[in-house]
Amino acid sequence: FGSSTPASRPSLPVPASAMDEAQESLLMEDFTNWALNNEEHFETMNNFATQHCDIFELYEEGHKLQYTELHKQFQALCEQKLEEYVAGKGLLPDQFAGLLQKWAAADEGVSDAIQLMCAATEYDFFCMVMAEKKREKMAGGA
């Protein structure tokens, strides 16, 4: 979820409608790499979990309203990072959404990246990760 683009990645400030196949292919590869291999993204998510995991109860069946509020904050953080990425590529959100649909139908790697991003923001997965982070913290691992 990094907002900066390393020098090794091409910047494509070309409108999606004006992209040729090679530019689009580079952007697809860049997005997949950004979504699946971005250490800054994982660090941001880990820091969020470390900062907020203490309110999660490990052995209670119910969910507190605070969990939902934190989940909304987490979703907003994820959306912000994606919006920064898209804007950094010179695209509008609707343009990028159209490209994602096209790519997901044609490339399993992009489909996997999209599924991973969606799963990370699902409520049950979020609660599971937060509880695991609390266990890790309690054991002295965070």
Side-chain angles (χ1 to χ4, degrees):
F1 283 133
S3 60
S4 61
T5 302
S8 62
R9 289 193 212 162
S11 180
L12 300 169
V14 178
S17 60
M19 272 189 222
D20 65 25
E21 194 172 310
Q23 291 170 314
E24 193 175 310
S25 179
L26 284 173
L27 181 59
M28 180 177 70
E29 183 180 322
D30 184 74
F31 166 74
T32 304
N33 187 52
W34 175 83
L36 297 176
N37 302 313
N38 188 316
E39 288 299 319
E40 184 182 337
H41 157 71
F42 294 112
E43 185 177 327
T44 299
M45 301 307 121
N46 187 52
N47 289 343
F48 184 94
T50 301
Q51 182 180 357
H52 298 289
C53 69
D54 293 327
I55 70 158
F56 283 76
E57 299 295 335
L58 298 179
Y59 305 106
E60 286 186 15
E61 301 232 358
H63 289 250
K64 297 178 179 179
L65 180 59
Q66 293 162 311
Y67 299 0
T68 303
E69 292 166 359
L70 277 177
H71 179 245
K72 287 178 184 177
Q73 289 176 29
F74 181 76
Q75 283 181 310
L77 177 63
C78 292
E79 288 172 13
Q80 174 191 357
K81 296 298 181 184
L82 181 58
E83 289 169 2
E84 289 171 0
Y85 175 83
V86 171
K89 298 301 173 187
L91 298 170
L92 297 172
D94 288 345
Q95 291 173 312
F96 191 69
L99 288 170
L100 282 181
Q101 288 177 343
K102 178 180 174 183
W103 298 339
D107 187 280
E108 191 173 319
V110 175
S111 182
D112 290 346
I114 294 167
Q115 288 178 15
L116 176 66
M117 292 180 75
C118 290
T121 60
E122 289 179 1
Y123 180 76
D124 289 336
F125 184 78
F126 170 78
C127 290
M128 182 184 73
V129 168
M130 296 300 279
E132 184 58 36
K133 178 52 73 175
K134 183 172 182 174
R135 281 186 204 91
E136 186 180 299
K137 218 173 156 180
M138 290 171 64

